[in-house]
Amino acid sequence: MKSSEKKAKAKKKVEMSDEVLEMIADRFRLLSDPMRLRILHTLGDEEMSVTELVKATGAGQANISKHLSVLLNAGVVSRRKEGLNSFYRVSDETIFELCDAVCSHLVKQLEMRRSVLEKLKPLK
Amino acid sequence: MKSSEKKAKAKKKVEMSDEVLEMIADRFRLLSDPMRLRILHTLGDEEMSVTELVKATGAGQANISKHLSVLLNAGVVSRRKEGLNSFYRVSDETIFELCDAVCSHLVKQLEMRRSVLEKLKPLK
DNA sequence: TAACTATATTACTGTATAGTTATATTTGCA
DNA sequence: TGCAAATATAACTATACAGTAATATAGTTA
């Protein structure tokens, strides 16, 4: 017992190198853009061409292509080329788990705020 | 059966407004910075003052304070003032679930790469 | 009251990146 | 071969933001 006699409360923490933190941050940064989230949500479990995504999202073609290349580079989507078309699909489903977790947290948060407002109502 | 006779494959997607996507992106953006991740990881389940966090992380005081105010504003940490000190603690544990999910994904990803390299070894 | 300490805030700088326009590249077709 | 379509890329602009230095604010102590 050497390092655990400081405060008795703190759990021993795993050392986190800057490199690991940077990798985790990179992963979150991937999902920190509304347009990329829109693309991923639009794809769902489907395979879609760039043109289809452009139409579905209303964004510019260059913009969509750029975001897709970011996602492709990160291994979140995969690409299948066929003639003139490039078809993309989500190859890393764990992305959706993260999004779902954030979504349900937001819902919970909004519900809490609503219930607080509800309690204030009678005071009007 | 009207909108479901297009491709038969696509699940009906929930409409996603720009506002909702922006909120989700905001949440991910919070975690897309290595220094904020370092602060959250350093805090863990402890309560710490700004000075303690400055010492533990090696970052500048102004920088730590700014990140803490971002996290406070987002409801991820809470603040307790006592005399000259401000004590912060993580108030939203769901943050750690997200981090854990990303971490285990990274581990899985690295293991996959390692096993690929392992198979290539005999070819040397 | 004056000096000191902890924290917050402001102003500034540099960097990263989202969106856009224009262009390059590749493939299919007349 | 030449044109058209789909996609990718390069160059540019504007914006956001992380880090820092300086300063403000508030509490503590001599």
Side-chain angles (χ1 to χ4, degrees):
Chain A
M1 209 186 272
K2 268 202 308 192
S3 66
S4 60
E5 50 196 355
K6 295 176 182 176
K7 267 275 194 168
K9 200 174 63 176
K11 287 181 191 168
K12 52 182 184 295
K13 278 160 201 157
V14 181
E15 269 300 314
M16 277 290 198
S17 69
D18 289 344
E19 288 79 24
V20 169
L21 288 176
E22 190 66 60
M23 286 176 75
I24 301 174
D26 285 347
R27 188 96 182 140
F28 283 124
R29 198 174 302 116
L30 264 189
L31 302 177
S32 71
D33 181 84
M35 183 54 71
R36 274 199 290 277
L37 292 178
R38 159 107 35 228
I39 290 172
L40 291 171
H41 181 251
T42 303
L43 280 174
D45 60 352
E46 281 184 274
E47 187 185 59
M48 295 178 74
S49 69
V50 176
T51 303
E52 285 174 309
L53 280 169
V54 168
K55 281 177 189 162
T57 62
Q61 177 266 319
N63 197 19
I64 293 291
S65 275
K66 208 167 71 168
H67 281 302
L68 284 171
S69 94
V70 170
L71 293 170
L72 181 65
N73 211 36
V76 177
V77 301
S78 61
R79 176 171 59 185
R80 182 176 64 86
K81 292 198 175 188
E82 183 183 308
L84 273 177
N85 299 307
S86 288
F87 292 98
Y88 289 85
R89 78 158 52 244
V90 176
S91 59
D92 176 4
E93 305 280 345
T94 68
I95 286 292
F96 291 131
E97 294 170 25
L98 292 175
C99 290
D100 289 349
V102 168
C103 267
S104 56
H105 174 263
L106 289 180
V107 168
K108 213 182 300 174
Q109 193 173 290
L110 288 176
E111 273 171 5
M112 274 172 56
R113 287 187 194 166
R114 210 175 64 85
S115 77
V116 170
L117 288 179
E118 206 68 26
K119 281 175 187 159
L120 284 175
K121 243 183 188 173
L123 302 181
K124 281 196 305 188
Chain B
M1 208 186 273
K2 267 201 308 192
S3 66
S4 60
E5 52 196 353
K6 294 176 184 176
K7 266 273 193 168
K9 198 173 62 176
K11 288 180 191 167
K12 50 182 183 296
K13 278 162 201 155
V14 180
E15 268 301 313
M16 278 290 197
S17 68
D18 288 344
E19 289 78 24
V20 170
L21 289 178
E22 192 66 61
M23 288 176 75
I24 302 174
D26 286 347
R27 188 97 184 141
F28 284 123
R29 197 174 302 114
L30 265 188
L31 302 176
S32 72
D33 180 84
M35 182 55 70
R36 274 197 291 276
L37 293 178
R38 161 119 14 239
I39 291 172
L40 292 171
H41 180 252
T42 302
L43 279 175
D45 59 352
E46 282 185 274
E47 186 185 60
M48 296 177 74
S49 71
V50 176
T51 303
E52 286 174 308
L53 280 169
V54 167
K55 281 178 189 160
T57 61
Q61 178 266 320
N63 197 18
I64 294 292
S65 275
K66 206 168 71 168
H67 282 302
L68 284 171
S69 93
V70 170
L71 293 170
L72 181 66
N73 211 36
V76 177
V77 301
S78 61
R79 177 172 58 185
R80 181 176 66 86
K81 292 198 175 189
E82 183 183 309
L84 273 175
N85 298 306
S86 288
F87 293 98
Y88 289 87
R89 77 157 53 244
V90 175
S91 59
D92 177 4
E93 304 280 345
T94 68
I95 287 291
F96 291 131
E97 294 170 26
L98 292 175
C99 290
D100 288 349
V102 168
C103 267
S104 58
H105 174 263
L106 289 181
V107 168
K108 212 183 302 174
Q109 194 173 289
L110 289 177
E111 273 171 5
M112 275 172 56
R113 287 187 194 167
R114 211 175 62 85
S115 76
V116 170
L117 289 179
E118 207 68 27
K119 281 176 187 159
L120 284 175
K121 243 183 190 173
L123 301 182
K124 279 198 306 190

